[in-house]
């Protein structure tokens, strides 16, 4: 007979999934409601309203999709792209290639412009590429977790709004931990996740889009065959499960039968968003910035180097260069098996060469920063690194004392 | 400020989502683990093994997909279908049209054969259609919740195995509550859900497939662009999120980075499957049959008519004809608002004409059957139905006393 699930204690300092507030876990343990129970439909409506807070948007169509973050990215791409539509994707890390992967599968003609990892684009570079390539859609990553860099979006978004380009943004790594100003920045579709800044378990993505997008979706709407075979559309979206024109109607008062909403995840996201509202965006972002500052100061005091341009550093991820002679994976194993502390490696050209420490949501706490620094110092020493002993934690504590 | 989620007490007797065992809810409230934490990867491996029990299969590739049931159906269709491939879909209720919807979006040439609602197909009818249409894929529904009918599959499956037809089955309404013998019946891909017989919240689908399917998936495998741009494939699957060739590798020892696994749902499904194992399939199915018998006996004693052919009735759903002069939706509203009892209406030609009472998983309990019958009798009387007073509950109690 299989034994019950038993969970060891962990300090999760990866770029996601991160620790979940106990209040969210408690919400998940509540009994199920039917998907058309008026109480449950009411909760869905509240989730839609609450989501507008971290997205800083007035968009009517703001809801959750029952799939992990990339399901929201794929839904966004499939909703806008028809065969041979042009998509421009500026890449400064791994996750732009996920946009490209999704665009390719949606049948787009793709143009990528690439930046060496460790920096971001000047808005003028992206705008120049738009002028040259004349895309229907510009797809960008806001916070690139693979490199710990964050792209400035406002100027690019404004250009897109004025020049009939659809601007879709992967805000998975920034949502609910760093400002994502959907309306002010001129973002047509923004996609967030649950398992990072929001500190809700993985399994849902969050999405918001404006009337420009709604118009396109409506023009492609095809009712599900089992519900009404008469409403056909030659330009139908190439997925049923990720068809935003249907999901939008599931979330609206119309309430068509699409999927069966993931009840417990709705409870979780409701509670996670309620905690965002209670903390307030300003305080929440300030907390993340302070914990980032303490972590970076501690790492530097230890003698480690932070990867990438500090001017465009992503507050929620700190990317550290692995010192000469240290085995990247062995260090992480020491950390996890002795201290229960989890950090991450990276991808592509940074695989084996960088560690990534997350600073997101409920994991972004003073004790987590200090414990991680302490555990990291010991683990580095055990793995043969030359670092400044006893400096890291004290430098971080000083940051907290002074702020 | 938004208030906390607060849940009214419910007796959920719909065809899903159904009530969740408190032990599953408790499992969901445990802290998060990282997706590559060895403990978490171990849990995923256990889930894969446990899933083989209700699927009655030895298939290596047996896992969960992070989306509601239809995400598994879509993944199955997308994995097998390339542009203009032929799919045969026999329809005896609404959910065959979901298969058709998914096949259409995957680019298939579709042939449907249709049966009047309330019955199922003779295997010979399906086999004759296979011979005539020569499809690559035969897609069928095992338990049709819209009509409360269950299709015999074994003879059809054997024919498919011997004649190079791929047989894919929607077992969402039967999985973990009624036998689904994947290997014995010759099913190439079977898809289940979590929110019905398994009594885990909605948000995941379960899938199993054999080596015939694996071979096709492998021939279409394309590595994600952000992980390795060199592994390209002209026949790539048209979704990244629902690409079984990638998800299979995420679940295997290779453990490629695809999505971020839905941690809490893995805990839930682990516990739900553990409870299936502990109860044993024979006892579990017998429990469902007994509760079905009590419910049907009680409904008939009340004077209500059961819709559809009794010889092929789906044990997990009882479809009741709405008596003359009774408002279908008003009755459900009376039930929910006064008794907290939820039952369902139906779709298509049965919309407004039938109620559906579920009998699935943790909801399939003696007290739920009896309370539902009692509440239904009172609600029918309040809504002006002519029924036999006081007969239903006693008739059901007698079934329990005699068994």
């Amino acid at each position: 007979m299989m034994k019950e699930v038993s969970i060891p204690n962990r300090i999760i300092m990866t770029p996601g999934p991160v620790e979940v507030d106990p209040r969210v876990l408690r919400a998940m343990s509540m009994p199920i409601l039917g998907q058309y129970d008026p109480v449950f439909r009411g909760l869905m409506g509240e989730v839609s309203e609450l989501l507008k807070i971290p997205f800083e948007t007035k968009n009517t169509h703001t809801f959750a999709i029952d799939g992990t973050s990339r399901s929201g990215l794929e839904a966004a791409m499939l909703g806008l792209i028809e065969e041979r539509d042009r998509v421009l994707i500026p890449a400064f890390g791994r996750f732009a290639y996920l946009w490209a992967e999704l665009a390719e599968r949606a049948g787009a003609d793709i143009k990528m412009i690439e930046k060496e990892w460790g920096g971001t684009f000047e808005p003028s570079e992206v705008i120049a590429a738009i002028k040259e390539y004349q895309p229907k859609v510009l797809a960008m990553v806001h916070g690139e977790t693979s490199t710990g860099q964050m792209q400035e979006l406002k100027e690019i978004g404004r250009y897109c709004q004025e020049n009939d380009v659809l601007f879709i943004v992967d805000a998975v790594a920034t949502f609910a931990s760093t400002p994502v100003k959907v309306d002010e920045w001129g973002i047509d579709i923004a996609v967030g996740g649950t398992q990072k800044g929001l500190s809700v378990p993985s399994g849902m993505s969050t999405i918001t889009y404006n009337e420009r997008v709604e118009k396109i979706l409506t023009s492609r709407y095809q009712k599900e065959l089992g519900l009404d075979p008469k409403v056909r559309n030659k330009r139908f979206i190439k997925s049923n499960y990720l068809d935003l024109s249907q999901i939008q109607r599931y979330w609206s008062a119309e309430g068509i039968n699409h999927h069966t909403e993931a009840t417990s995840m709705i409870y979780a996201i409701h509670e996670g968003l309620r905690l965002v509202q209670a903390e307030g965006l300003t305080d929440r972002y300030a907390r993340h910035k302070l914990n980032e500052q303490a972590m970076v100061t501690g790492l530097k005091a230890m003698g480690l180097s932070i990867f990438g341009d500090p001017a465009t550093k992503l507050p929620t991820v700190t990317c550290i260069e692995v010192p000469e002679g240290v085995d990247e994976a062995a260090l992480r194993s020491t950390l996890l098996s002795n201290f229960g502390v989890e950090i991450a490696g990276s991808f592509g050209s940074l695989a084996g060469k960088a560690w990534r420490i997350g600073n997101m949501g409920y994991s972004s706490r003073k004790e987590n920063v200090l414990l991680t620094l302490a555990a990291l110092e010991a683990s580095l020493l055990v793995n043969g690194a030359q670092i400044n002993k006893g400096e890291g934690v004290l430098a971080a504590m000083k940051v907290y004392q002074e702020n």
Side-chain angles (χ1 to χ4, degrees), chain A:
Chain A
M1 279 294 159
M2 186 61 73
K3 284 187 189 163
E4 274 185 294
V5 171
S6 168
I7 304 299
N9 193 57
R10 294 289 191 239
I11 295 172
I12 308 182
M13 294 298 275
T14 64
V18 302
E19 295 171 24
V20 171
D21 192 300
R23 288 169 287 187
V24 172
L25 295 175
R26 187 179 58 188
M28 295 191 83
S29 70
M30 286 192 293
I32 291 304
L33 286 174
Q35 64 169 330
Y36 288 112
D37 191 312
V39 176
F40 187 67
R41 295 295 293 184
L43 286 177
M44 287 174 66
E46 288 177 4
V47 164
S48 179
E49 286 308 310
L50 286 167
L51 276 171
K52 295 175 188 174
I53 298 171
F55 275 133
E56 300 194 41
T57 185
K58 293 195 167 59
N59 288 336
T60 303
H61 298 299
T62 305
F63 50 82
I65 295 175
D66 288 0
T68 67
S69 308
R70 66 173 60 199
S71 73
L73 301 174
E74 183 162 326
M77 194 59 89
L78 286 173
L80 296 182
I81 292 299
E82 296 174 63
E83 210 58 45
R84 312 310 303 261
D85 278 342
R86 292 157 77 96
V87 178
L88 174 65
I89 306 171
F92 60 100
R94 172 192 166 186
F95 285 97
Y97 298 93
L98 177 56
W99 271 137
E101 163 103 356
L102 299 172
E104 179 186 30
R105 292 178 189 227
D109 277 351
I110 303 165
K111 169 76 178 175
M112 295 201 76
I113 54 173
E114 291 169 302
K115 196 90 188 174
E116 198 182 344
W117 286 22
T120 60
F121 286 91
E122 287 298 324
S124 59
E125 296 175 280
V126 176
I127 291 168
I130 293 174
K131 286 178 181 163
E132 191 193 327
Y133 189 64
Q134 297 285 328
K136 174 179 180 178
V137 169
L138 171 70
M140 291 197 80
V141 175
H142 185 211
E144 177 55 76
T145 60
S146 67
T147 61
Q149 291 282 301
M150 183 164 68
Q151 177 65 45
E152 156 71 32
L153 298 176
K154 189 176 173 178
E155 205 176 316
I156 299 167
R158 193 176 305 138
Y159 182 86
C160 289
Q161 293 305 314
E162 289 165 1
N163 292 276
D164 203 25
V165 175
L166 292 156
F167 188 31
I168 65 179
V169 173
D170 171 351
V172 172
T174 47
F175 177 68
S177 54
T178 300
V180 179
K181 297 174 185 284
V182 170
D183 292 355
E184 186 182 328
W185 295 350
I187 298 171
D188 291 284
I189 308 183
V191 176
T194 51
Q195 82 285 7
K196 298 184 192 271
L198 191 57
S199 270
V200 163
S202 177
M204 269 193 174
S205 57
T206 61
I207 193 165
T208 185
Y209 52 84
N210 60 21
E211 287 171 11
R212 299 213 298 180
V213 173
E214 187 193 351
K215 209 173 147 187
I216 293 171
L217 295 175
T218 299
S219 75
R220 302 184 67 187
Y221 179 54
Q222 172 166 307
K223 210 160 175 178
E224 190 176 310
L225 209 51
L227 296 177
D228 187 350
K230 291 183 294 292
V231 184
R232 314 311 292 159
N233 193 320
K234 280 186 186 160
R235 293 168 52 225
F236 63 76
I237 291 167
K238 299 293 180 203
S239 169
N240 166 281
Y241 191 66
L242 299 176
D243 181 335
L244 287 178
S245 74
Q246 292 198 12
I247 300 172
Q248 169 185 313
R249 281 166 175 79
Y250 177 78
W251 276 80
S252 73
E254 190 181 342
I256 64 160
N257 190 280
H258 182 255
H259 58 285
T260 298
E261 191 53 41
T263 324
S264 305
M265 283 299 294
I266 288 289
Y267 298 168
I269 201 171
H270 189 284
E271 183 65 9
L273 289 164
R274 209 178 65 84
L275 296 175
V276 170
Q277 185 187 39
E279 182 172 13
L281 291 185
T282 308
D283 286 357
R284 191 174 183 91
Y285 299 154
R287 167 167 64 86
H288 281 83
K289 287 297 287 182
L290 177 61
N291 288 326
E292 181 204 20
Q293 193 192 336
M295 178 64 81
V296 168
T297 304
L299 293 168
K300 284 182 175 169
M302 226 183 270
L304 295 168
S305 298
I306 310 299
F307 174 80
D309 185 348
T312 49
K313 185 180 171 302
L314 176 62
T316 55
V317 180
T318 298
C319 199
I320 308 161
E321 296 172 11
V322 175
E324 279 287 319
V326 177
D327 181 323
E328 187 275 311
L331 179 284
R332 283 190 286 123
S333 174
T334 305
L335 260 179
L336 188 70
S337 59
N338 292 280
F339 302 93
V341 172
E342 192 188 17
I343 67 170
S346 191
F347 304 100
S349 61
L350 287 178
K353 294 180 185 161
W355 293 301
R356 297 178 304 144
I357 298 186
N359 172 46
M360 293 172 171
Y362 185 67
S363 280
S364 180
R365 302 197 311 278
K366 178 179 172 180
E367 69 267 27
N368 271 15
V369 170
L370 297 177
L371 289 167
T372 299
L373 285 167
L376 183 62
E377 172 173 321
S379 301
L380 281 164
L381 292 171
V382 165
N383 282 272
Q386 301 295 319
I387 54 163
N388 307 322
K389 294 178 192 173
E391 304 286 340
V393 178
L394 290 185
M397 287 180 82
K398 204 161 162 235
V399 170
Y400 288 114
Q401 282 151 10
E402 288 168 359
N403 282 276

